[in-house]
Amino acid sequence: MLTTTHSPLSEALTGAVVLPGDARWDEARSAFNLLLDQHPAAVAFPADADDVVGAVAYARGAGLRVAPQATAHNQGPLGGLENTLLLNVGALQEVHVDPAAQRVRVGAGVKWDRVAPRLSAHGLAGLHGSSPDVGIAGYSLGGGMGWLARKHGLQANAVTAMELVTADGSLVRADADHHPDLFWALRGGGGNYGVVTAIEFAVHPVDDLYAGALFFPFERSSEVLHAWSALLPTLPDELMSWASVMHFPPIPDVPAFARGRSFAVVMAAYLGDEAEGRALLKPLRDLGPERDTLATVPPVVLGDLAMDPLDPVPFHLTHQLMDDLPAETIDELMAKVGPGSGRGPTVTILQFRHMGGALAREAPGAGARATLPGEVCMIALGAVFDEHMDVAVRDALADIDAAVLPHAVGEYPNFVEVPADASRFFEPGAWNRLRDVKRRYDPADQFAGNHHVPPAGDA
Ligand SMILES: Cc1cc2nc3c(=O)[nH]c(=O)nc-3n(C[C@H](O)[C@H](O)[C@H](O)COP(=O)(O)OP(=O)(O)OC[C@H]3O[C@@H](n4cnc5c(N)ncnc54)[C@H](O)[C@@H]3O)c2cc1C
């Protein structure tokens, strides 16, 4: 627990408050991306929903904005956080799983790693993404695109209710019957509408799951990406696959076979039996991978499949949603950052995720982030450990963006790591409705979501 400094703010809640100059200040204000250097006015750690009410009331009286935070995995877009109370809900750790109803209720500080194993034991899975370390609240508020997304869509639209403290200090429940406009806006509009204290969502039975990864030598990256891209139009919604070029650091956290090595990797998760899965992936297996981990597995395995880092990392990241990944774009990308490009491991991971399926279909009753455009999502990340790498990574990511831009059809806010104009993430109708709901629930713009939705009427 972080130290509590005595201040008027600390009288507003029972949980800890950390102020500039406190021994734990740097820890309290730090984010998953270690390149960030944010300076909020204070950081509060409410112990429960009443504490959230107290902290929000204090901030209102003190003229501070409130930035809700769970795990700090996407704090970059918030900028410097001047004149803002950072409100970390990490202590809200309630977890209730109802396997019969296929429903989950969690406190806003809960990460996927506390829920996925319990669901898996009941043959169920939630719509989590690549990292079990990501918070369910922030992931769901921005969209949530994971392993089962082609079959079941975005996690935001699996949400059945949220409880939140709004700008007037009330603790409200937003669902299809209560505050339906607010419920719509929260599912994609992010942390702009209040501090979420609890979230409820539907999960899915997983009878059969065939999942794992095919590892190929780095030198074969081009061949693997071409084969993967050609396969996409043949794949059913039950099969999600991601193709990556990955450079693993030589650290103990990385499995021994991969430590310090580079690979082209195709990861896949198929909601079906092994024989069907093998048949669907045959063209890739026929290439002769160096290592093949595909097997019938319980859903909990999906949490580890992508091998995402669990500890904070200093990094730059870019992404694009693309209508296609044509052969010439793969060639251009490989020439810029692949084997023989001379760039070595500058781009730690260049990943392509298959999209489409349920991601492109608006479900009845969906929220503001109903769908995502594109057939492929490109994500590129470069770890940065010194100034030289900072320049090299920025240059490499800019080259990647230039290569894929002709096929870019949109952006996904959860993958945007820098301050941005959020209007470009939504269709004009949805954007205007988000701003209208903001005007009704937070007219003074007290809440700073990671991607800002200003109240209607504000410039
Ligand atoms: C390693 C890694 C892997 C990832 N993999 C995926 C993936 O596979 N698929 C995918 O879709 N995304 C993925 N993401 C992106 C992830 O969805 C976003 O970073 C998401 O915003 C994280 O939410 P959080 O609560 O963990 O982080 P935070 O930084 O704590 O929250 C992000 C934002 O969410 C809002 N928020 C959080 N909690 C609350 C709350 N209680 N009340 C109101 N607003 C709140 C705030 O606006 C906050 O700024 C990944 C990110 C990382 C770093």
Side-chain angles (χ1 to χ4, degrees), residues 32 68-75 78 89 108 129-131 133-139 141 143-146 190-192 194-197 242 308-309 315 353 412 414-415 417 448-451:
F32 183 79
Q69 180 189 73
T71 71
H73 272 76
N74 191 242
Q75 295 295 281
L78 283 161
V89 298
S130 57
S131 172
D133 195 43
V134 161
I136 295 175
Y139 178 85
L141 286 161
M145 178 173 63
N192 287 286
V195 181
V196 173
T197 55
W242 301 350
D308 275 2
F315 66 94
R353 297 186 178 189
Y412 169 43
N414 277 16
F415 288 162
E417 291 278 336
N450 50 350
H451 295 293

Side-chain angles (χ1 to χ4, degrees), residues 147 212-225 228-229 241-248 257-258 261-268 284 287 289-294 304-307 334 348-353:
W147 282 111
L214 302 173
F215 292 80
F216 299 88
F218 174 58
E219 294 68 30
R220 298 186 65 189
S221 296
S222 176
E223 186 189 356
V224 172
L225 288 178
W228 177 78
S229 176
S241 62
W242 301 350
S244 313
V245 178
M246 300 175 78
H247 301 282
F248 291 93
F257 81 91
R261 293 190 60 198
S262 303
F263 292 93
V265 187
V266 178
M267 302 162 192
L284 291 166
L287 295 179
E290 175 183 322
R291 192 180 182 90
D292 177 351
T293 68
L294 280 155
D304 298 325
L305 191 50
M307 300 170 285
M334 289 301 96
T348 316
I349 177 165
L350 172 63
Q351 183 168 84
F352 300 93
R353 297 186 178 189

Side-chain angles (χ1 to χ4, degrees), residues 326-341:
E328 56 275 18
T329 304
I330 294 173
D331 292 341
E332 194 179 344
L333 285 166
M334 289 301 96
K336 287 177 169 177
V337 297
S341 66

Side-chain angles (χ1 to χ4, degrees), residues 76-123:
L78 283 161
L81 286 175
E82 293 78 15
N83 203 34
T84 300
L85 171 64
L86 190 57
L87 206 153
N88 184 312
V89 298
L92 307 186
Q93 285 293 329
E94 167 197 3
V95 175
H96 179 71
V97 175
D98 183 341
Q102 296 172 8
R103 287 283 196 278
V104 174
R105 175 184 166 89
V106 293
V110 173
K111 298 178 182 184
W112 281 107
D113 64 3
R114 288 202 55 220
V115 174
R118 292 197 204 188
L119 290 173
S120 185
H122 295 285

Side-chain angles (χ1 to χ4, degrees), residues 5-50:
T5 300
H6 184 76
S7 73
L9 172 57
S10 66
E11 286 168 9
L13 63 162
T14 59
V17 169
V18 184
L19 298 174
D22 286 354
R24 310 296 290 275
W25 176 241
D26 284 341
E27 182 186 345
R29 71 188 180 89
S30 71
F32 183 79
N33 187 343
L34 294 174
L35 293 184
L36 295 178
D37 182 24
Q38 294 175 314
H39 293 271
V43 186
F45 294 83
D48 52 28
D50 286 345

